[in-house]
Amino acid sequence: MKKISRRDFMGYSMKAGAATMFTGILAPTATSFFGYGGIAEAATRKIKPFTFAVLTDAHLYDIKNHKFDGFLEKAVDDINKLKPRPDMVLYAGDIGQSGKEAELLKGKKILDKLKMPYKVIPGEHDYYLDMGKAWRGLFGDEHWSFDHNGAHIIGMNSILVPDFWSMAGLTPKERMGRMEELECHRCGLWGVGDKQLEWLKKDVKNLSADTPVVIMTHSPLWNYYPRWNFQTHDAPEILAILSKFEKVVAIHGHVHQVVYNKMGNTVSAGLLSTSWPWPYPPVDLPYPDIRMNRVDPGDFEDGLGGHTLDVTAGFDGTMNYRAFSDLLPANVKRGIKL
Amino acid sequence: MKNTKTILPVTATGLSVFVLAAILAMVAGSAIAKPPRTEQQMAQETAAYLQSVAKGDALWHDGSLGTNGLACGNCHPDGSASNPHTWPKYQTNLGKVGTLREMINWCITVPMQGKPLAYDSEDMIAMESYATYTHRGVAIAPGKDEQHGAVPVYGGPGYPAP
Ligand SMILES: [Fe+2]
Ligand SMILES: [Fe+2]
C-alpha cells in the first residue's frame, strides 16, 4: 500500500544533516551532562540494574475500531515481546481524548494485556470532563511513589489549572472541549499544585541523597513552550525539593516528540505518543541534536512508538525510543544517555 | 505581547502605499481607478478578513471536517507544520507540484477520513486564511521542504511573555 514514502523521496534534510552533524559528537555521556567529572556518578548508590518500559498519549476515542486503538495495542505487544521482559511499565497520561469513561476503560483493557505491572498518571485529556473521577475509579491515585531495586520512582499529576470554567458558566463538556485544544486560549498554565508539593516533600524526606530518583509527569518540568502547556508552572519547586539528590531522571508525555533537557541534577526526556506526533514549537531546542525527523503524514504510524529505559548499577539511564517507523536520527536510535 | 488573535496588523506604510497608488492611478486617468476608501470601509474589510480567519480557526479545531474525531488542530496546533509559506511545491503525498488547498483536502480525506472541500468554497478560503494568518510575517519560501512551528504566541490570559 505504501508506495514511496515522503521521507525516502525527499531524502529528508534532517537525516542528511544528522549524519554530518553528529559525527564525533555522539549523545552526551552522563558525566558531561553533570559536569562533575564523574563525581555524581560515583556518589550515586549502587543499585540492582533494571529495565522499565514507558508508554503514553494514546488519545483513544469512544469510536469503535478507531485507528488509535491499534497503535496502543501494537505498543503493548511490542513491550510484551521484549526479552528480557521489562520489570514494569509507566504510562505518562492522555489515555483518552475527551475524558470519557468509555475511552479510559478501553485504554485500561488494552493496558491490562501488559505482562508486567503498570502505573499510570493522568493527562489533561483524561481529566477535565469529570475532574478525574472516572480516571481515579479505574487507575487509583493521581500521584504515587514506590521503590524498585533501590531506586525511588515517583508519578505526579501535573495538569491542574486554576478554575476557568465556573465564572464562565461552562458545562463539563465545554470545559473538556477547551482543554482538548493544545493551544487553549483561556485555560492557563498548569502544574501540580501545593498539595502535591507538600506530599512530595514528605515522600522524599527520609531518602538519602544517593538514592536514584525517577519522576514521571505528564508535562515537562521545564519551560519549553507555555503556549502549548509544554511546561509545569511549579516545576521549579519540584526541582528544588529533588535538588538534594545526586541524580534525578525525569520523563514526561504530552509533547508527542523526542525532546531532551537537563536542569541541575535532573535530566529530562520527552516521549513519543501512540496517537499523532507534534511538530516542534517555534522556539530553540536546548539540545537540538536530540530530536526526531519530520513525519510522513501518509504513514499513520510514523512519529509514534514506545520506550524502554535501562537503568545501570550506577544509575546511568539509557532512553531507548522504540519508534514504529524509521523516525529517529542515528544518535537517538542508539539510545539517549540519561 | 498581546494575544495577536484579536488584532490585525495593518501597517501605516502598507496603508500609505495603497493611498499613493490610488492617487497615481487617478492622476493617470486609469479606467479601473477606485477612489480612496474611507477608514470605515477599510475597517469593514479588515473585519471581513478576520471573520474568515475566525471561521478557519473554528473549522481547524472542531473536527467537523473529518469522521474519526480528529481535527487539524490535533496535529497542527496554531497551524504549525502546515507550512503555508512553502506552497506551491512538490509534495510526495500529492505526487506532484500542488497547492496549499490541495494539501488541506489531502489531510481532510486521508488522516481525517472526511469529504474534500470545494476549492472555491467559503470554508476552504477560511482554512487558508487561518493557515496563513498563523504564519504572518514568515518569509515566503515557495518550493521549500521546511517545517514551520507557526508564529510564536506568548500572549493571552495566563501565558507569560518570553
Ligand atoms: Fe497527549
Ligand atoms: Fe496532554
Side-chain angles (χ1 to χ4, degrees), chain A residues 6 9-10 61 63 66-68 181-185 188-189 225-228 276 278-280 282 294 296-298 300, chain B residues 5 61 68-70 74-75 77-78 80-81 90-93 106 110-111 145-147 149-150 152-153 157-160:
Chain A
R6 190 173 168 209
F9 181 86
M10 293 294 185
Y61 282 80
I63 296 175
H66 195 273
K67 59 181 168 182
F68 294 171
E181 253 184 54
L182 189 66
E183 64 271 40
C184 172
H185 314 299
L189 300 170
Y225 193 52
R227 166 74 173 172
W228 296 349
W276 64 79
W278 262 321
Y280 287 98
R294 276 174 71 186
D296 180 351
F300 297 157
Chain B
K5 283 208 137 193
H61 291 98
N68 55 10
L70 300 188
N74 285 44
C75 308
D78 281 321
S80 55
Y90 191 100
Q91 216 287 349
T92 318
N93 301 101
W106 186 89
V110 183
D145 188 34
E146 169 185 78
Q147 187 189 81
V153 185
Y159 295 93

Side-chain angles (χ1 to χ4, degrees), chain A residues 98-114:
Chain A
S98 315
K100 292 189 195 166
E101 184 154 25
E103 298 165 357
L104 301 173
L105 195 60
K106 178 150 85 172
K108 184 167 189 300
K109 277 188 186 148
I110 300 172
L111 290 174
D112 282 344
K113 292 181 192 162
L114 284 166

